[in-house]
Amino acid sequence: GLAVGMGVGQVLLVLLAASAVMPAKDPLLNICMDAKHHKTKPGPEGMLHDQCAPWKDNACCTANTSSEAHKDQSNLYNFNWNHCGVMPPKCKRHFIQDTCLYECSPNLGPWIDQADSSWRRERILHVPLCKEDCEEWWEDCKDYVTCKENWHKGWNWATGTNRCPWGSMCRPFSHVFPRPKDLCEKIWSNSYKYTTEHRGSGRCIQMWFDPAQGNPNVVVAKYYAWKKRSSTAWMENVTPETDKAVCAVPWPVLVL
C-alpha cells in the first residue's frame, strides 16, 4: 500500500492533502429530491403563493408549483381532496401545508429515500414531524370523511382523478385514523413519523413556521445529518480491521 516505506510526516501530509480536497458541502443538506415537480437545486423564489410563502428565501418549488398546491383539483398530481364530500377549509389547510413542505423544503435530505414509481425517483421516509403539527392536523380533520387509510395508492383512477375504490365506504377520519400518529404515519406510506418532540426543539420538522423567525428546519436537518453520519462512521469503525488502522495512526491525524 501507499503507506509502506513512508514516514509519519509523509503520511500526515498525504492525509492533510486528502482532507483539503474533500468537499465541504454535506450531501444531505440544502438539497431537493429527484421528484416530479422539484427544482434541481434550491434557491430564492420571489413569489411563492400563500401557504408556501415561508420557503421563498430558499425553495425547491417554483411559483407555479406553489399556486397549484392550493387548488382543489391541482395539476400537480390530479389529486382530489374532496373524494368523500367537500373537505372543510380548516382541514384542507394542513394538506396544503403538507404539500408545500414536500414540494418546497430544502431541509428533507436526511430522509430522502429511493422510490420505485413512474413519477419520481426519490421520496421522503420517516420525517420526524413535530407533535403539535401532527396533532393539530388530526384535530382539524377528525370530522372529515375518507374511504382510505393510505392515500398514496389503491385509488380508482378511471376518470383521471382519484375516486374511492369500488366497495369502499366513506368513514369519519377519526375511525380511519384513531390517533394523530395513525394519520401522520399512514396517510402517505410512512413519509412522516409521529414524534413527541416539540416545535422549536431542533429535533423535529415543522410543517408550520413563521419565516420572520427563520426556517427552524435547517438546524433539524443538520442534527439528523450529523446523527446519520456518526452512526455510519461508528458502524464502519467497529470492524476489527479499521479498529487496528485507527489505533496505528499517530494521534495528530485523529484530531484533524
Side-chain angles (χ1 to χ4, degrees):
L2 176 68
V4 177
M6 288 172 72
V8 169
Q10 287 166 298
V11 172
L12 266 171
L13 283 171
V14 169
L15 285 165
L16 279 167
S19 67
V21 294
M22 275 167 67
K25 185 181 180 307
D26 188 317
L28 297 178
L29 298 178
N30 199 36
I31 54 165
C32 301
M33 72 187 100
D34 184 355
K36 190 174 180 183
H37 301 289
H38 286 71
K39 300 189 321 195
T40 50
K41 53 176 193 280
E45 287 289 328
M47 296 298 294
L48 289 189
H49 187 63
D50 198 6
Q51 285 181 231
C52 294
W55 286 274
K56 71 180 174 49
D57 291 342
N58 194 29
C60 285
C61 61
T62 61
N64 182 48
T65 298
S66 74
S67 61
E68 287 292 333
H70 291 71
K71 294 181 183 170
D72 276 350
Q73 188 64 61
S74 97
N75 290 326
L76 295 179
Y77 307 99
N78 288 332
F79 196 89
N80 175 22
W81 303 123
N82 306 319
H83 51 265
C84 275
V86 178
M87 184 185 274
K90 70 172 183 176
C91 172
K92 191 181 294 165
R93 68 191 193 99
H94 292 278
F95 283 97
I96 292 170
Q97 196 71 7
D98 155 57
T99 305
C100 289
L101 176 75
Y102 171 80
E103 300 291 351
C104 305
S105 176
N107 312 120
L108 300 174
W111 305 280
I112 290 177
D113 199 43
Q114 297 306 302
D116 52 355
S117 61
S118 57
W119 49 278
R120 59 178 181 180
R121 284 201 281 279
E122 290 179 335
R123 58 162 295 189
I124 45 172
L125 192 63
H126 305 310
V127 172
L129 204 59
C130 295
K131 180 181 167 76
E132 296 90 342
D133 290 60
C134 187
E135 291 182 352
E136 286 168 19
W137 188 359
W138 185 85
E139 191 58 42
D140 287 345
C141 291
K142 68 177 193 292
D143 301 326
Y144 177 56
V145 281
T146 183
C147 51
K148 282 182 56 47
E149 186 183 68
N150 186 339
W151 289 16
H152 258 154
K153 49 185 185 225
W155 296 99
N156 169 10
W157 287 94
T159 58
T161 183
N162 56 306
R163 306 271 291 276
C164 289
W166 298 114
S168 67
M169 274 173 55
C170 290
R171 297 182 297 139
F173 243 58
S174 53
H175 291 193
V176 180
F177 306 108
R179 300 164 303 163
K181 177 181 165 71
D182 300 309
L183 167 64
C184 294
E185 296 186 353
K186 293 176 179 176
I187 197 157
W188 301 126
S189 13
N190 298 110
S191 292
Y192 295 120
K193 188 173 87 180
Y194 174 79
T195 74
T196 53
E197 302 286 355
H198 293 279
R199 287 181 191 158
S201 64
R203 298 288 180 268
C204 58
I205 290 289
Q206 291 179 213
M207 282 201 323
W208 298 89
F209 62 90
D210 173 7
Q213 313 285 317
N215 180 342
N217 296 330
V218 174
V219 302
V220 180
K222 278 187 183 156
Y223 170 74
Y224 283 95
W226 166 81
K227 214 173 156 186
K228 202 169 182 176
R229 260 199 321 278
S230 43
S231 66
T232 314
W234 185 82
M235 288 306 292
E236 286 165 358
N237 280 344
V238 288
T239 60
E241 295 78 12
T242 40
D243 219 24
K244 278 184 206 137
V246 168
C247 293
V249 175
W251 72 265
V253 175
L254 299 176
V255 295
L256 285 179

